[in-house]
Amino acid sequence: MKADPATQRRLLDLADVDTELNRVAYSRTNLPEHAEIDESETTMRAKQDAQVVAETALSDLRRELGRQEKEIDQVRARGKRDRELLDAGTVGARQVTDLQHELESLIRRQTTLEDELLEVMERTEAAEADVRFAEADLAGTREQLEQIVRRRDEALADLGTQETRHAERRAKLVEGLPADLLALYERVRAQRGNGAALLRARRCGACRLELDRVTVSKLKAADPSEVARCDECGVILVRTSESGL
Ligand SMILES: [Zn+2]
């Protein structure tokens, strides 16, 4: 295949643009924010679980409080009823003794219940503080996650801009290339990841191997329009004054 040496040199610009496009594609899938988002989402789930645990503990305690208050009310009502009966003076002596015993035991019961109530109230306050902490903690993590997502979106937008710029430049470069040369470049690039490279000081710019003496003398003798390939890696070898031929 033949192509004007100046046209061949344009393949080097194309190869540079393709390297940039590859770099953009690599950066897009390897943004550190992707891993940070995964990690932050895991933390979020753990903190959501912690919040549910704290809320469940609080609602259990509130239910317990309600139950205790109801029991205290019952004890008080029973005591009131007993006192009213005693005050009315309509009951017999035997019943008076029973009622007095019952009243004493009701007062003891009430004291015990009120002590227990106080303890549960303290535990409820602590549980309320736990819930507030869990909510704030979760909100903090959510905010962090939102910040990372914003950073990721900015990075993606920036990469998108770069990609557009390189793609536009590529389209212009490709426009002026002969179809057969471009097809060869694309085929080699698809196979090797690299379409063309500069032959610099007798070394292939892609695989970095030095050409042997036979190849060097063949290239020296060849028509400059002849499209050369690297025997090692297959890329189109572009010759310039730097090639050492
Ligand atoms: Zn090579």
Side-chain angles (χ1 to χ4, degrees), residues 124-136:
T124 305
E125 275 171 29
E128 282 166 351
D130 287 348
V131 168
R132 281 195 299 275
F133 174 81
E135 281 169 354

Side-chain angles (χ1 to χ4, degrees), residues 21-36 38 152 155-156 159 163:
L21 282 168
N22 285 343
R23 189 189 55 75
V24 168
Y26 179 85
S27 300
R28 183 176 283 135
T29 47
N30 290 281
L31 281 178
E33 283 82 4
H34 294 319
E36 286 176 41
D38 284 349
R152 180 203 58 190
L156 286 177
L159 288 170
E163 188 175 48

Side-chain angles (χ1 to χ4, degrees), residues 53-245:
V53 168
E55 279 172 349
T56 307
L58 178 59
S59 72
D60 286 351
L61 281 166
R62 283 182 175 154
R63 204 168 28 251
E64 175 69 10
L65 268 185
R67 196 191 56 73
Q68 284 180 331
E69 280 164 352
K70 204 169 146 196
E71 199 177 344
I72 290 173
D73 285 347
Q74 283 167 350
V75 171
R76 278 191 189 132
R78 180 85 185 237
K80 187 167 172 266
R81 192 208 62 172
D82 288 358
R83 265 190 303 275
E84 279 167 1
L85 277 174
L86 284 172
D87 291 348
T90 52
V91 291
R94 173 82 182 275
Q95 213 184 342
V96 167
T97 315
D98 287 349
L99 281 170
Q100 279 168 343
H101 278 145
E102 189 177 87
L103 257 178
E104 280 164 23
S105 103
L106 283 172
I107 288 163
R108 279 197 303 274
R109 179 77 188 130
Q110 190 173 331
T111 307
T112 308
L113 284 173
E114 280 169 354
D115 287 347
E116 283 173 8
L117 183 71
L118 215 62
E119 193 223 314
V120 175
M121 281 166 86
E122 279 167 10
R123 282 166 58 204
T124 305
E125 275 171 29
E128 282 166 351
D130 287 348
V131 168
R132 281 195 299 275
F133 174 81
E135 281 169 354
D137 201 21
L138 180 60
T141 306
R142 187 175 287 126
E143 203 173 303
Q144 272 177 346
L145 176 60
E146 284 166 0
Q147 277 173 10
I148 304 170
V149 168
R150 270 199 297 279
R151 249 195 296 130
R152 180 203 58 190
D153 292 346
E154 281 165 15
L156 286 177
D158 183 42
L159 288 170
T161 308
Q162 291 180 36
E163 188 175 48
T164 307
R165 204 177 62 231
H166 295 313
E168 281 167 5
R169 178 146 185 257
R170 188 181 207 278
K172 278 190 195 130
L173 284 168
V174 161
E175 231 171 63
L177 289 173
D180 57 348
L181 184 65
L182 180 61
L184 175 65
Y185 172 87
E186 295 292 17
R187 198 171 66 241
V188 174
R189 187 168 78 99
Q191 286 167 353
R192 321 269 172 170
N194 232 335
L198 173 65
L199 176 67
R200 179 184 277 137
R202 302 183 177 186
R203 264 178 209 283
C204 166
C207 68
R208 310 280 169 197
L209 282 178
E210 192 170 355
L211 269 52
D212 61 51
R213 210 171 298 176
V214 180
T215 313
V216 168
S217 37
K218 259 203 284 183
L219 279 181
K220 263 185 189 170
D223 176 353
S225 301
E226 195 62 49
V227 174
R229 308 266 305 270
C230 171
D231 289 338
E232 281 302 323
C233 72
V235 295
I236 299 170
L237 274 181
V238 178
R239 288 103 82 205
T240 69
S241 55
E242 294 176 67
S243 296
L245 294 174

